[in-house]
Amino acid sequence: MSELVTGEAVALELRPARLPSRALAVLLDLVAAMAVYVAVTIVLVTSTASLDEAAQTALSIATFVLVLVGGPIAVETLSHGRSLGKLACGLRVVRDDGGPIRFRHALVRGLIAVIEILMTFGIVACIASFVSARGRRLGDVFAGTLVVRERIPVTRTGFVPPPPPWLAGRFSGLDLSAVPDGLWLAVRQYLTRMQQLDPQVGWSMAERLASDLAERTGAPVPQGVPPAAYLAAVVQERQAREARRAFGGDAARAATTAAVPATKGPAASPEARGGTPTVYRPPVGTPEVVSEPSAVERPSGSPAGSAGDRPGTGFVPPA
């Protein structure tokens, strides 16, 4: 499986098509092309009966080249890699970098297909596709293209846990423009899989990612904030900014409040009702970090800075 990273730090998975699906798509394309070729040939034979044999032969060759060679090239160019057979099988031709193909890519593929598919009955193409790690035939190798699957079975994507409520909006002033897409992707992958890691390994990985992120933003990680919670809060801030740019302020507020519990009404948190503050505990074996609670967390009537009011800030995503 090939992976590309988009500007939103999303891993774009390119699943190369294998020989059976590609062979079926080519077979469907050949059946459609042969049907068109036979129909055009019948029309030409009836309409050029008065021509001599040389002219009829030239027309027959030109029809063959235009329909069986030029036709697939034109279809792949206009459809950006989706021929009739590939559309039926859920396949598409893309460049090696995942972008849509152009005329030159379709031209190289079509010309080489005459040799490896039409002249050798697909034997050369089958061998090349079977040997290639990504199932590419010779036309794909010379054109710099790849046939991928567009219809992929739906799988559960990793859930990025929200940060603790007391960190929501705390990093609104960070400059995130210098953070590369690769680092965003690494942070998202860590947050979605950290509960599957060994506690000590996960903690050290979070510290390393937090250090890299702080170096890119130019602001150090606040003292007392667990690295995993810091990563989750910065990712949430980035998502809120993307939502503001795309949909306006209402969408950004919705994205932020989706991870922060309400503080009014019957479903208010224990902190809002003056109860015991929520304690965020790290996974077993992970060092616990204790920080000074903010005024929002501190129950009413409790003295500021008392040792009994300091909740643990280890970060654990919701179950």
Side-chain angles (χ1 to χ4, degrees):
M1 182 188 303
S2 301
E3 284 193 355
L4 301 179
V5 181
T6 66
E8 292 75 24
V10 176
L12 176 62
E13 297 180 351
L14 298 182
R15 298 175 180 262
R18 295 305 177 185
L19 182 58
S21 57
R22 293 195 60 177
L24 180 59
V26 171
L27 181 61
L28 294 176
D29 288 335
L30 286 178
V31 170
M34 289 301 298
V36 174
Y37 175 71
V38 171
V40 172
T41 301
I42 293 175
V43 173
L44 288 178
V45 168
T46 56
S47 60
T48 60
S50 58
L51 297 179
D52 57 11
E53 184 178 352
Q56 291 180 353
T57 303
L59 283 176
S60 178
I61 296 175
T63 302
F64 176 85
V65 173
L66 288 176
V67 175
L68 296 182
V69 180
I73 295 175
V75 170
E76 284 195 353
T77 302
L78 297 176
S79 64
H80 300 291
R82 298 184 184 93
S83 63
L84 181 62
K86 292 181 177 63
L87 188 62
C89 296
L91 308 180
R92 182 182 180 182
V93 183
V94 297
R95 301 195 306 260
D96 281 339
D97 60 358
I101 64 172
R102 302 180 184 273
F103 171 73
R104 59 186 179 87
H105 302 101
L107 178 63
V108 174
R109 282 174 48 84
L111 293 179
I112 297 181
V114 175
I115 300 175
E116 64 173 341
I117 295 180
L118 297 180
M119 296 182 63
T120 62
F121 301 100
I123 297 177
V124 174
C126 289
I127 295 176
S129 181
F130 183 76
V131 172
S132 173
R134 295 194 290 177
R136 302 202 298 176
R137 63 178 178 87
L138 296 181
D140 294 315
V141 175
F142 285 101
T145 57
L146 176 68
V147 180
V148 298
R149 295 169 52 194
E150 282 195 307
R151 293 198 292 265
I152 300 173
V154 178
T155 56
R156 291 187 61 186
T157 57
F159 171 70
V160 178
W166 51 273
L167 280 180
R170 184 170 177 177
F171 303 103
S172 58
L174 284 183
D175 180 13
L176 306 180
S177 59
V179 182
D181 292 338
L183 182 55
W184 285 123
L185 177 60
V187 171
R188 288 177 60 90
Q189 288 180 338
Y190 166 76
L191 291 175
T192 57
R193 301 168 184 171
M194 63 180 180
Q195 293 302 314
Q196 304 172 9
L197 303 174
D198 177 79
Q200 296 296 337
V201 174
W203 185 269
S204 61
M205 185 180 298
E207 287 182 330
R208 185 170 64 253
L209 290 173
S211 175
D212 293 342
L213 193 59
E215 181 180 355
R216 297 286 184 172
T217 59
V221 180
Q223 187 174 6
V225 176
Y230 167 77
L231 296 174
V234 176
V235 168
Q236 185 192 65
E237 174 61 29
R238 183 174 189 261
Q239 292 174 342
R241 295 183 187 182
E242 294 289 342
R244 274 196 298 269
R245 281 196 291 265
F247 307 108
D250 293 339
R253 284 192 295 270
T256 303
T257 55
V260 181
T263 58
K264 294 182 180 181
S269 62
E271 294 90 332
R273 297 194 301 265
T276 305
T278 303
V279 178
Y280 295 89
R281 299 192 180 280
V284 177
T286 305
E288 174 118 2
V289 178
V290 178
S291 65
E292 180 70 22
S294 63
V296 177
E297 300 175 79
R298 194 175 294 120
S300 59
S302 298
S306 62
D309 292 336
R310 297 182 180 179
T313 57
F315 178 67
V316 174

